[in-house]
DNA sequence: GCCAACGTTGGC
DNA sequence: GCCAACGTTGGC
């Protein structure tokens, strides 16, 4: 069964254009230090599709589509003391944090803003709305279709 | 830059 | 196991 996700990024740090520039090699999604978000990553399967979301920007919203190309594996930055994501409590024998690799898939026709998502009753159950601080969200197929539909309306 | 919401930590 | 203190996220 195909699964759908939404991943947030601050475009100043890493944007959808940056992901596209990475080409086929994609990008390891390091630095996630929240258990719920980690659990979502551990459930991701190769070829699952991802809504790429820009946060802390004007306006915030979904900017494009990415795809999972590597399933979860330990986030090595948690074990590197010189990394800004270093977690002294993460044990190399039993890693606490994981990451996945994602790759650019395609652009959508236009930005779908958070404001529009919040205004759409069909999307009131989205984790993006109900768990606004969670950086990696699960998306249902119906929600996915609705967002894509919105992106195709001018 | 502010601040509300909320996840995490640590003392007890 | 409770909960106050603290840190972070993210919209505005």
């Amino acid at each position: 069964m195909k699964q759908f996700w939404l991943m947030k990024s601050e475009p100043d740090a890493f944007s959808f254009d940056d992901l596209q520039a990475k080409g086929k090699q994609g990008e390891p999604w390091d630095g996630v230090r929240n258990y719920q978000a980690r659990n979502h990553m551990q459930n991701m399967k190769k070829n699952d599709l991802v809504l790429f979301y820009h946060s802390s920007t004007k306006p915030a919203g979904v900017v494009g589509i990415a795809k999972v190309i590597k399933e979860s594996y330990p986030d090595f930055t948690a074990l590197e003391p010189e990394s800004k994501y270093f977690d002294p409590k993460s044990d190399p024998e039993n890693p606490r944090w994981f990451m996945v690799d994602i790759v650019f898939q395609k652009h959508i026709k236009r930005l779908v803003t958070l404001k529009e998502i919040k205004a759409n009753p069909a999307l009131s159950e989205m984790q993006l709305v109900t768990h606004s601080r969670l950086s990696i969200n699960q998306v249902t197929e119906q929600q996915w279709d609705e967002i894509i539909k919105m992106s195709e309306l001018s």
Side-chain angles (χ1 to χ4, degrees), chain A residues 72-119:
Chain A
S72 73
Y73 58 105
D75 181 345
F76 51 82
T77 63
L79 305 172
E80 295 174 336
E82 64 279 7
S83 169
K84 64 174 170 173
Y85 297 125
F86 178 61
D87 179 0
K89 292 180 185 160
S90 191
D91 172 6
E93 299 301 313
N94 184 21
R96 174 187 290 211
W97 304 115
F98 288 77
M99 56 189 177
V100 297
D101 288 4
I102 62 170
V103 70
F104 171 87
Q105 180 79 357
K106 62 176 182 177
H107 289 287
I108 55 177
K109 289 204 178 116
R110 66 170 184 89
L111 174 78
V112 177
T113 66
L114 177 62
K115 191 177 174 189
E116 292 175 83
I117 291 170
K118 283 182 169 171

